[in-house]
Amino acid sequence: YNEYKSYLSFIMAETSPVQILKMAIDKKTSWEKDEFLDSIYWIRQILAIVFGVLWGVVKFKGFIGILMYIVLNLLIIFLYYTSYQSVDEEDYGGHVELAKEGLLTSFALFLVFWIILYTLYLQPLEQLVTG
């Protein structure tokens, strides 16, 4: 029972993704290391969905689409923590740590949205359902 109780109090103390994103919008946020890394993670997930939908609708193809996503993702996050939040990246593990935080999961999410939307816009829905 005590293990469950301590685990439950740990979960309740965690900051929700919505709270993290609200904090991420505010330039004056005082960040804990884990909260700032969480904000980068969730921003990346939002970027992955937006870019995946956009790439699918615009019908980008191949390596150029992947390369554009990775470059834009890294650039936006870099500008976020250097210009918008103006944090010292060394306090959060340096540029490499911030660059890789959530990158692979956001890349997978981006691919899912890109492939699904590209497929939906490539063929009419009736053809997808009937085969």
Side-chain angles (χ1 to χ4, degrees):
Y1 174 76
N2 286 338
E3 289 177 12
Y4 176 74
K5 186 176 178 182
S6 65
Y7 177 72
L8 188 60
S9 65
F10 171 75
I11 290 174
M12 298 305 281
E14 289 287 317
T15 310
S16 76
V18 173
Q19 290 171 321
I20 291 287
L21 290 172
K22 285 181 183 176
M23 291 168 60
I25 293 170
D26 186 9
K27 286 185 175 185
K28 298 174 185 160
T29 299
S30 174
W31 293 102
E32 296 291 324
K33 181 179 180 180
D34 288 340
E35 289 176 340
F36 189 65
L37 293 176
D38 286 348
S39 76
I40 289 184
Y41 175 88
W42 287 110
I43 291 169
R44 277 216 161 101
Q45 304 318 304
I46 292 169
L47 289 174
I49 293 169
V50 170
F51 286 145
V53 168
L54 183 63
W55 268 227
V57 171
V58 175
K59 299 182 184 173
F60 282 125
K61 293 183 182 179
F63 182 71
I64 297 298
I66 292 172
L67 186 63
M68 285 175 36
Y69 169 74
I70 291 173
V71 168
L72 284 173
N73 189 308
L74 290 172
L75 180 64
I76 289 169
I77 293 300
F78 177 77
L79 291 174
Y80 171 72
Y81 71 80
T82 58
S83 298
Y84 189 76
Q85 287 293 336
S86 299
V87 299
D88 181 11
E89 65 276 350
E90 295 305 319
D91 292 342
Y92 302 100
H95 289 293
V96 173
E97 181 68 26
L98 293 170
K100 68 179 187 175
E101 181 65 33
L103 184 61
L104 289 179
T105 54
S106 71
F107 181 66
L109 185 61
F110 160 74
L111 286 177
V112 167
F113 275 86
W114 183 21
I115 291 167
I116 289 173
L117 272 280
Y118 183 88
T119 304
L120 286 176
Y121 277 90
L122 188 63
Q123 299 177 352
L125 188 58
E126 300 84 32
Q127 287 179 349
L128 291 174
V129 175
T130 59

